[in-house]
Amino acid sequence: MTIQTIEPSTEPAMPSPLKPEHPFKSRSFWHSLGYALNGLKATFYTERNFRTHLLLTVLISLLAAFLQVSPTEWAILILCMTVMIAMETLNTALEYLVDLWADGAFRQRAKRVKDIAAGACLVTAVGVSLSGACVLLPHILRHFLSQ
């Protein structure tokens, strides 16, 4: 029987999960949470569409509570509202990134990227609206037709 020797690995050592490998990486969950909340706050104060989606989220939640939708329907509505707000946030981040790249100059490619991202928001809004209507419309009709 021969004994096999294992040579030292030439791969770099795995980074410690306690130490960020990049200087801009968050040091803890709480730091990450703070950065995320700062991003949402900045988006809230600078983006009208984001505020509109938040207002619609509140109104739809109130309507769903009034109509006493089922837990499954709540899950669908929450998922739809979350996807829409997340999409709007990503669109905002992409717009800022494109503006940084364009450096204040008009660039046709920058416009195209922004238009495509806005299109993604529009597609999401239509899908979310249709999904919300499928959940809420039967309840609304039942409520008004039973009176």
Side-chain angles (χ1 to χ4, degrees), residues 16-100:
S16 166
L18 303 176
K19 223 177 8 173
E21 61 185 79
H22 192 277
F24 298 116
K25 197 107 167 117
S26 299
R27 299 197 188 289
S28 71
F29 167 78
W30 299 109
H31 282 108
S32 296
L33 182 61
Y35 296 143
L37 292 174
N38 285 342
L40 290 173
K41 182 179 170 185
T43 306
F44 178 83
Y45 285 117
T46 61
E47 299 300 318
R48 182 192 71 238
N49 288 343
F50 183 79
R51 292 189 301 271
T52 301
H53 291 301
L54 283 179
L55 176 63
L56 288 171
T57 294
V58 170
L59 294 175
I60 290 166
S61 296
L62 291 172
L63 180 61
F66 173 76
L67 295 172
Q68 298 178 346
V69 300
S70 73
T72 303
E73 291 167 326
W74 265 114
I76 292 167
L77 291 173
I78 290 168
L79 181 61
C80 286
M81 293 181 288
T82 303
V83 166
M84 189 66 244
I85 290 171
M87 179 61 79
E88 191 61 48
T89 306
L90 285 171
N91 180 48
T92 299
L94 188 58
E95 285 180 352
Y96 275 100
L97 188 60
V98 168
D99 289 345
L100 182 66

